[in-house]
Structures are given as structure tokens and as C-alpha cells.
Amino acid sequence: MGREARLGKVAGMSIGNEIERRLEIVRARIAAAARHAGRNPSSIRLVLASKTQPSEAIRAASQAGARDFGENYVQEAIAKRAELADLTEIRWHLIGHLQTNKARAAASAFALIHSVDSVRLAEALGRAQPSPRVRALIEVNLGAEASKSGVAPDGVAALVDAVRDKIEIEGLMTIPPPAAGAGTTRPYFARLREMRDRLAVQSGLALSELSMGMTDDFEIAIEEGATIVRVGRAVFGERTA
């Protein structure tokens, strides 16, 4: 049985029904976390992390009302865009690391790029699409992890200043280090919010977006100010590839 066929039924129900059920649960959790933090649930955007998910799963989520989907790889995203070209309301996000040599393809493929971390990359995006400027977030490596991309915290202000006329900087993104418990990520989310607040004052840019929080900790991220949460497993289930 092929992968697509295996995905056709989940625990006795269609994949579409199961994804719709999970999506409703995640939305309810987002709303509850927002209200707990005194925020309007509509101020938080849910981006479904759809890396390795087949087009059928993305279509099912779209039919259940999802509009924002995050991909890790440019070529995978472009292929899915072509397969789902009839779903004109979908907004595609790049949430994985972007290589400079893929900047031209990425510039026109995504509504928002979450992972700008160098002047060289920003310049490549600016050359690829000078107007309107590519909308992007600066990825910050708060955990100083060698295995992750992102600019070091002490380099964020200089990067923002160097690239602000090349891309449209919408805010910041981070992925905290792997943690034993969701609560251990809270300090990283709080730190990103505080960094954004300082940079907004210093730069005069709104920097209105904070992309932080995934399946295991998105509620904590919302409590700390996330405007975008990136959730995959809670909606699509465990990855099969």
C-alpha cells in the first residue's frame, strides 16, 4: 500500500475529518492561551508546518479553514504550490533555513520568509525582488546552537540596520533548544519579545511579528507574545518521512 493510500484513513475516519478535528482542538487551545494572556485570539496566526506532508493533507487542512502553511525546503514548497494551484487562498511560509543560492526562487514563492540570518541572504532576496520588498523575519539563535541557523543575539541590531532597505523586516523568529519540558522554553520566548521591543524603539520599525512556539510549547509562546505559531504534529500527526 502506498503512502497516499495509507494516509487515506486515520483511526477509522477519513484524513480530512481527522485533520479538521485536530485543527479545531489546536484553534481552541490558541484561543484559550490568548485569553489567559489577555490577548485577542485573532491576533495570533497559526502556520501549519507541512514539511513532508502530502498535498492531500494540506488540501484537507485548507478545506477545514487553514490558510497558512510552512515549508522547510524551497523545492518541496514549489512542487506543492503547483499541485495545489487551485487553492488560491493559501499563504506559503518558509520556516526552514534558506540558502543564498535559493533566494531567487524563494522570493516569489513565499508570503513570508521566517529565516533571514545574514546580510548576504537579505541582499540576494533584495536583488531577486526589489519591489515590493520580500517580507521576512530575522531568525535569532538564542541558544547559541552550532547545529541551528540564525544570527547571534548580539548581532541582531546590526543585521536589522544593514538590511532594512533590502527586505521588509516584519519581526523576529526563534527556535529554542530542545527541552525536557515545555516550560523551559519560556525564557527564550520572553527574551525574543524583549529583544523585539528594544529593536523596535531603536530602529523605528514596527517589528510586529514574533514567530515562536511549536506543537509542544505554542501556548507558552502565546503567553509570551507570539503572533505566529508553527504547528505541525498536533494537526497532521507524526511525520511518516
Side-chain angles (χ1 to χ4, degrees):
M1 183 181 292
R3 182 171 175 231
E4 307 299 330
R6 290 199 305 271
L7 284 165
K9 295 288 183 180
V10 180
M13 64 174 66
S14 72
I15 185 175
N17 289 341
E18 178 65 6
I19 286 175
E20 182 177 15
R21 183 187 70 82
R22 291 172 175 170
L23 185 58
E24 287 175 357
I25 291 171
V26 168
R27 284 174 171 158
R29 290 172 60 188
I30 288 172
R35 286 192 293 269
H36 182 260
R39 301 178 60 195
N40 187 335
S42 67
S43 68
I44 296 132
R45 178 176 297 185
L46 171 61
V47 174
L48 296 187
S50 49
K51 172 190 173 184
T52 77
Q53 297 297 330
S55 296
E56 285 76 5
I58 296 172
R59 183 177 295 277
S62 174
Q63 290 171 344
R67 292 293 177 265
D68 294 272
F69 294 86
E71 291 287 329
N72 284 45
Y73 304 111
V74 175
Q75 292 309 121
E76 182 180 347
I78 289 173
K80 288 177 180 176
R81 277 175 55 105
E83 293 171 2
L84 300 167
D86 58 306
L87 301 180
T88 57
E89 295 183 342
I90 282 184
R91 291 179 292 266
W92 295 95
H93 298 243
L94 183 67
I95 58 178
H97 176 63
L98 176 60
Q99 297 175 316
T100 303
N101 63 1
K102 300 287 178 59
R104 181 168 296 278
S108 59
F110 299 100
L112 183 65
I113 294 173
H114 293 227
S115 50
V116 170
D117 60 359
S118 70
V119 172
R120 184 165 173 252
L121 176 56
E123 288 176 340
L125 289 168
R127 288 193 299 271
Q129 186 176 298
S131 181
R133 291 176 183 167
V134 172
R135 296 176 60 240
L137 307 177
I138 302 298
E139 181 178 1
V140 186
N141 188 342
L142 289 177
E145 295 174 90
S147 61
K148 285 182 182 172
S149 56
V151 62
D154 60 3
V156 176
L159 179 59
V160 168
D161 187 57
V163 306
R164 59 183 298 166
D165 62 342
K166 306 180 192 312
I167 57 174
E168 197 69 32
I169 306 172
E170 302 281 338
L172 307 179
M173 183 272 259
T174 198
I175 302 173
T184 61
T185 60
R186 187 182 295 275
Y188 293 96
F189 298 147
R191 188 178 175 193
L192 193 74
R193 185 195 67 244
E194 292 161 0
M195 179 184 295
R196 186 278 310 275
D197 292 347
R198 289 194 303 271
L199 283 170
V201 172
Q202 294 168 7
S203 67
L205 299 172
L207 302 179
S208 57
E209 301 288 4
L210 285 176
S211 175
M212 57 189 194
M214 297 184 286
T215 285
D216 291 332
D217 54 19
F218 68 83
E219 287 147 317
I220 293 171
I222 288 168
E223 291 173 2
E224 293 299 333
T227 62
I228 300 172
V229 293
R230 310 177 304 271
V231 177
R233 180 164 31 90
V235 172
F236 292 120
E238 296 293 339
R239 288 177 180 164
T240 57

